[in-house]
Amino acid sequence: MARKFFVGGNWKCNGTIDHVKKIVTMLNESEVPSEDIVEVVVSPPFVFLPLVKALLRSDFAIAAQNCWVRRGGAFTGEISAEMLVNLGIPWVILGHSERRSLLGESNDFVADKVGYALSQGLMVIACVGETLEQREAGSTMDVVAAQTKAIAEKITHWTNIVLAYEPVWAIGTGKVATPAQAQEVHVGLRKWLSEYVSSEVASSTRIIYGGSVNAANCKELAAQPDVDGFLVGGASLKPEFVVIIKSATVKSSD
Ligand code: PEP
C-alpha cells in the first residue's frame, strides 16, 4: 500500500505575529507537488493557531505542538484535545523529545496523550527517538520499541497516526542521521509494528524522520524506502522548507 509522503513543520516556541504572517505568505506563494503526492502540516505555537488557520492555504493542514492528556478542566496552562477539535485543528504533535526531556513526559504519559487525542478525533504525529548515550550504548531499537510499545498498548487503530523517528542527538544540532541510519531504524520500527501490531499497520503507517533535515540533505533521506517524510524544526521557519516539501517527488518518480 502506497504511503503518502508527509512533511511536518514544527515551529516550536518561535515567532511573532509579523513573523508568522511572513512564513504563511511564503508558504501560500510556494509551488509544491499536489496533495496526492505530499501531505503538508505546519505546527505553530498555540497562540498563533487561529491566525495561521485563517491565513494558510487550504491544501496545507495545521498541528498543535502538544495537548493535555485528558478532558480539560482544572489544569492551568494546558490546552485540551477538545479545544483543538473545537478550533478545527486536525493534528497534534505528541511525545516530542523536547517535552520528554525538558518536561519529564514519560513513555506512559505520552501514550496516554496519544490515546486520548485519537479518541477525540485528532490525528497524531507521535515522536520517538534515542539519545546519543543510548545510541552509543547500542540500545536505539530497544528505546524506540519501548516508546512505540507504550503507545500501541493505549490505542486500537493506527490509521490516524504518523510515527516520527527523531533521534534526540540530531534535533536542532545540525547533526543529521545518515540516510542509512534513518533507514535502519525505520525498518526496525516497521518490523516491530509487524510483529506486535499487524503486518497491515506495519505497511501502511507512515514513519517520518526528524532531526536537522534541511534543503541539502532531504533528497537523499527521502530516497530511503522506509522514510515516508519528515518532521522539520529549524528549517520549517525558512524558505528551504519548500525545498523539503518538494523532495516528495523523489518517491513519485520511482
Ligand atoms: C524537531 O523539532 O522536530 C526537529 C526535527 O528539529 P530540527 O529540524 O531543528 O532538528
mmCIF file of all heavy atoms in Angstrom, residues 59-82:
data_model
loop_
_atom_site.group_PDB
_atom_site.id
_atom_site.type_symbol
_atom_site.label_atom_id
_atom_site.label_comp_id
_atom_site.label_asym_id
_atom_site.label_seq_id
_atom_site.Cartn_x
_atom_site.Cartn_y
_atom_site.Cartn_z
ATOM 1 N N ASP A 59 -4.698 23.605 1.144
ATOM 2 C CA ASP A 59 -4.104 22.275 0.927
ATOM 3 C C ASP A 59 -3.031 21.943 1.965
ATOM 4 O O ASP A 59 -2.469 20.849 1.943
ATOM 5 C CB ASP A 59 -3.553 22.129 -0.504
ATOM 6 C CG ASP A 59 -2.555 23.210 -0.880
ATOM 7 O OD1 ASP A 59 -2.565 24.292 -0.248
ATOM 8 O OD2 ASP A 59 -1.743 22.979 -1.790
ATOM 9 N N PHE A 60 -2.724 22.863 2.881
ATOM 10 C CA PHE A 60 -1.823 22.575 3.987
ATOM 11 C C PHE A 60 -2.670 22.486 5.258
ATOM 12 O O PHE A 60 -3.624 23.252 5.426
ATOM 13 C CB PHE A 60 -0.779 23.680 4.180
ATOM 14 C CG PHE A 60 0.305 23.736 3.130
ATOM 15 C CD1 PHE A 60 0.276 22.928 1.998
ATOM 16 C CD2 PHE A 60 1.391 24.592 3.281
ATOM 17 C CE1 PHE A 60 1.281 22.981 1.031
ATOM 18 C CE2 PHE A 60 2.408 24.654 2.332
ATOM 19 C CZ PHE A 60 2.349 23.855 1.203
ATOM 20 N N ALA A 61 -2.297 21.575 6.136
ATOM 21 C CA ALA A 61 -3.049 21.441 7.391
ATOM 22 C C ALA A 61 -2.215 21.959 8.567
ATOM 23 O O ALA A 61 -1.045 22.321 8.414
ATOM 24 C CB ALA A 61 -3.434 19.983 7.594
ATOM 25 N N ILE A 62 -2.863 21.960 9.733
ATOM 26 C CA ILE A 62 -2.229 22.545 10.926
ATOM 27 C C ILE A 62 -2.211 21.530 12.057
ATOM 28 O O ILE A 62 -3.167 20.773 12.251
ATOM 29 C CB ILE A 62 -2.992 23.814 11.365
ATOM 30 C CG1 ILE A 62 -3.053 24.808 10.207
ATOM 31 C CG2 ILE A 62 -2.347 24.455 12.591
ATOM 32 C CD1 ILE A 62 -3.842 26.054 10.515
ATOM 33 N N ALA A 63 -1.109 21.550 12.795
ATOM 34 C CA ALA A 63 -0.996 20.714 14.003
ATOM 35 C C ALA A 63 -0.695 21.599 15.204
ATOM 36 O O ALA A 63 0.043 22.587 15.075
ATOM 37 C CB ALA A 63 0.136 19.701 13.830
ATOM 38 N N ALA A 64 -1.215 21.215 16.360
ATOM 39 C CA ALA A 64 -0.755 21.824 17.609
ATOM 40 C C ALA A 64 0.512 21.079 18.024
ATOM 41 O O ALA A 64 0.798 19.990 17.514
ATOM 42 C CB ALA A 64 -1.832 21.708 18.674
ATOM 43 N N GLN A 65 1.253 21.674 18.940
ATOM 44 C CA GLN A 65 2.532 21.051 19.337
ATOM 45 C C GLN A 65 2.406 20.170 20.570
ATOM 46 O O GLN A 65 3.393 19.571 21.019
ATOM 47 C CB GLN A 65 3.584 22.136 19.589
ATOM 48 C CG GLN A 65 3.955 22.911 18.350
ATOM 49 C CD GLN A 65 4.901 24.060 18.632
ATOM 50 O OE1 GLN A 65 5.556 24.115 19.678
ATOM 51 N NE2 GLN A 65 4.984 24.995 17.712
ATOM 52 N N ASN A 66 1.207 20.103 21.125
ATOM 53 C CA ASN A 66 1.002 19.342 22.353
ATOM 54 C C ASN A 66 -0.475 19.428 22.687
ATOM 55 O O ASN A 66 -1.197 20.264 22.140
ATOM 56 C CB ASN A 66 1.814 19.985 23.489
ATOM 57 C CG ASN A 66 1.645 19.279 24.812
ATOM 58 O OD1 ASN A 66 1.576 18.052 24.878
ATOM 59 N ND2 ASN A 66 1.561 20.045 25.890
ATOM 60 N N CYS A 67 -0.958 18.555 23.553
ATOM 61 C CA CYS A 67 -2.259 18.793 24.190
ATOM 62 C C CYS A 67 -2.315 18.014 25.495
ATOM 63 O O CYS A 67 -1.467 17.155 25.757
ATOM 64 C CB CYS A 67 -3.436 18.452 23.268
ATOM 65 S SG CYS A 67 -3.616 16.720 22.872
ATOM 66 N N TRP A 68 -3.307 18.339 26.279
ATOM 67 C CA TRP A 68 -3.441 17.739 27.607
ATOM 68 C C TRP A 68 -3.832 16.262 27.475
ATOM 69 O O TRP A 68 -4.392 15.838 26.466
ATOM 70 C CB TRP A 68 -4.461 18.545 28.425
ATOM 71 C CG TRP A 68 -4.696 18.036 29.817
ATOM 72 C CD1 TRP A 68 -5.911 17.742 30.374
ATOM 73 C CD2 TRP A 68 -3.720 17.801 30.827
ATOM 74 N NE1 TRP A 68 -5.735 17.322 31.678
ATOM 75 C CE2 TRP A 68 -4.400 17.338 31.976
ATOM 76 C CE3 TRP A 68 -2.318 17.912 30.877
ATOM 77 C CZ2 TRP A 68 -3.741 17.000 33.161
ATOM 78 C CZ3 TRP A 68 -1.666 17.562 32.052
ATOM 79 C CH2 TRP A 68 -2.380 17.121 33.173
ATOM 80 N N VAL A 69 -3.546 15.524 28.527
ATOM 81 C CA VAL A 69 -3.679 14.071 28.496
ATOM 82 C C VAL A 69 -5.122 13.575 28.647
ATOM 83 O O VAL A 69 -5.418 12.426 28.303
ATOM 84 C CB VAL A 69 -2.757 13.471 29.585
ATOM 85 C CG1 VAL A 69 -3.235 13.872 30.984
ATOM 86 C CG2 VAL A 69 -2.613 11.972 29.483
ATOM 87 N N ARG A 70 -5.979 14.419 29.171
ATOM 88 C CA ARG A 70 -7.380 14.030 29.386
ATOM 89 C C ARG A 70 -8.287 15.182 28.996
ATOM 90 O O ARG A 70 -7.829 16.197 28.520
ATOM 91 C CB ARG A 70 -7.610 13.718 30.874
ATOM 92 C CG ARG A 70 -7.085 12.381 31.330
ATOM 93 C CD ARG A 70 -7.483 12.121 32.779
ATOM 94 N NE ARG A 70 -6.561 12.780 33.698
ATOM 95 C CZ ARG A 70 -5.364 12.316 34.014
ATOM 96 N NH1 ARG A 70 -4.910 11.205 33.473
ATOM 97 N NH2 ARG A 70 -4.597 12.966 34.872
ATOM 98 N N ARG A 71 -9.555 14.985 29.348
ATOM 99 C CA ARG A 71 -10.537 16.049 29.156
ATOM 100 C C ARG A 71 -10.084 17.296 29.911
ATOM 101 O O ARG A 71 -9.467 17.181 30.979
ATOM 102 C CB ARG A 71 -11.855 15.533 29.731
ATOM 103 C CG ARG A 71 -13.053 16.311 29.367
ATOM 104 C CD ARG A 71 -14.303 15.655 29.978
ATOM 105 N NE ARG A 71 -15.415 16.557 29.811
ATOM 106 C CZ ARG A 71 -16.013 16.796 28.650
ATOM 107 N NH1 ARG A 71 -15.641 16.131 27.573
ATOM 108 N NH2 ARG A 71 -16.992 17.649 28.555
ATOM 109 N N GLY A 72 -10.378 18.472 29.363
ATOM 110 C CA GLY A 72 -9.981 19.720 30.008
ATOM 111 C C GLY A 72 -10.648 19.923 31.358
ATOM 112 O O GLY A 72 -11.542 19.182 31.743
ATOM 113 N N GLY A 73 -10.211 20.923 32.076
ATOM 114 C CA GLY A 73 -10.745 21.201 33.415
ATOM 115 C C GLY A 73 -9.744 22.044 34.183
ATOM 116 O O GLY A 73 -9.142 22.957 33.623
ATOM 117 N N ALA A 74 -9.534 21.691 35.437
ATOM 118 C CA ALA A 74 -8.652 22.488 36.293
ATOM 119 C C ALA A 74 -7.191 22.094 36.068
ATOM 120 O O ALA A 74 -6.561 21.443 36.912
ATOM 121 C CB ALA A 74 -9.053 22.302 37.751
ATOM 122 N N PHE A 75 -6.682 22.460 34.901
ATOM 123 C CA PHE A 75 -5.291 22.123 34.541
ATOM 124 C C PHE A 75 -4.645 23.386 33.972
ATOM 125 O O PHE A 75 -4.484 23.541 32.748
ATOM 126 C CB PHE A 75 -5.257 20.977 33.520
ATOM 127 C CG PHE A 75 -6.017 19.762 33.991
ATOM 128 C CD1 PHE A 75 -7.239 19.430 33.434
ATOM 129 C CD2 PHE A 75 -5.528 18.989 35.034
ATOM 130 C CE1 PHE A 75 -7.960 18.342 33.891
ATOM 131 C CE2 PHE A 75 -6.240 17.891 35.502
ATOM 132 C CZ PHE A 75 -7.474 17.569 34.929
ATOM 133 N N THR A 76 -4.283 24.278 34.864
ATOM 134 C CA THR A 76 -3.789 25.597 34.478
ATOM 135 C C THR A 76 -2.652 25.520 33.460
ATOM 136 O O THR A 76 -1.696 24.766 33.657
ATOM 137 C CB THR A 76 -3.304 26.351 35.743
ATOM 138 O OG1 THR A 76 -4.386 26.394 36.659
ATOM 139 C CG2 THR A 76 -2.844 27.769 35.411
ATOM 140 N N GLY A 77 -2.808 26.268 32.418
ATOM 141 C CA GLY A 77 -1.741 26.341 31.415
ATOM 142 C C GLY A 77 -1.846 25.286 30.332
ATOM 143 O O GLY A 77 -1.066 25.315 29.375
ATOM 144 N N GLU A 78 -2.769 24.368 30.471
ATOM 145 C CA GLU A 78 -2.873 23.303 29.464
ATOM 146 C C GLU A 78 -3.915 23.636 28.392
ATOM 147 O O GLU A 78 -4.787 24.483 28.584
ATOM 148 C CB GLU A 78 -3.233 21.972 30.135
ATOM 149 C CG GLU A 78 -2.108 21.399 30.989
ATOM 150 C CD GLU A 78 -0.897 20.996 30.162
ATOM 151 O OE1 GLU A 78 -1.049 20.707 28.959
ATOM 152 O OE2 GLU A 78 0.216 20.982 30.716
ATOM 153 N N ILE A 79 -3.823 22.932 27.279
ATOM 154 C CA ILE A 79 -4.766 23.069 26.167
ATOM 155 C C ILE A 79 -5.310 21.672 25.912
ATOM 156 O O ILE A 79 -4.535 20.723 25.758
ATOM 157 C CB ILE A 79 -4.029 23.547 24.886
ATOM 158 C CG1 ILE A 79 -3.257 24.859 25.113
ATOM 159 C CG2 ILE A 79 -4.985 23.649 23.703
ATOM 160 C CD1 ILE A 79 -4.057 26.108 25.230
ATOM 161 N N SER A 80 -6.621 21.518 25.865
ATOM 162 C CA SER A 80 -7.177 20.163 25.720
ATOM 163 C C SER A 80 -7.357 19.769 24.254
ATOM 164 O O SER A 80 -7.464 20.623 23.365
ATOM 165 C CB SER A 80 -8.520 20.056 26.453
ATOM 166 O OG SER A 80 -9.492 20.812 25.759
ATOM 167 N N ALA A 81 -7.442 18.473 24.063
ATOM 168 C CA ALA A 81 -7.717 17.948 22.719
ATOM 169 C C ALA A 81 -9.060 18.489 22.219
ATOM 170 O O ALA A 81 -9.204 18.845 21.040
ATOM 171 C CB ALA A 81 -7.735 16.420 22.763
ATOM 172 N N GLU A 82 -10.037 18.581 23.132
ATOM 173 C CA GLU A 82 -11.369 19.086 22.737
ATOM 174 C C GLU A 82 -11.272 20.513 22.190
ATOM 175 O O GLU A 82 -11.980 20.888 21.254
ATOM 176 C CB GLU A 82 -12.336 19.111 23.926
ATOM 177 C CG GLU A 82 -12.698 17.758 24.496
ATOM 178 C CD GLU A 82 -11.724 17.278 25.563
ATOM 179 O OE1 GLU A 82 -10.635 17.896 25.721
ATOM 180 O OE2 GLU A 82 -12.021 16.279 26.227
#
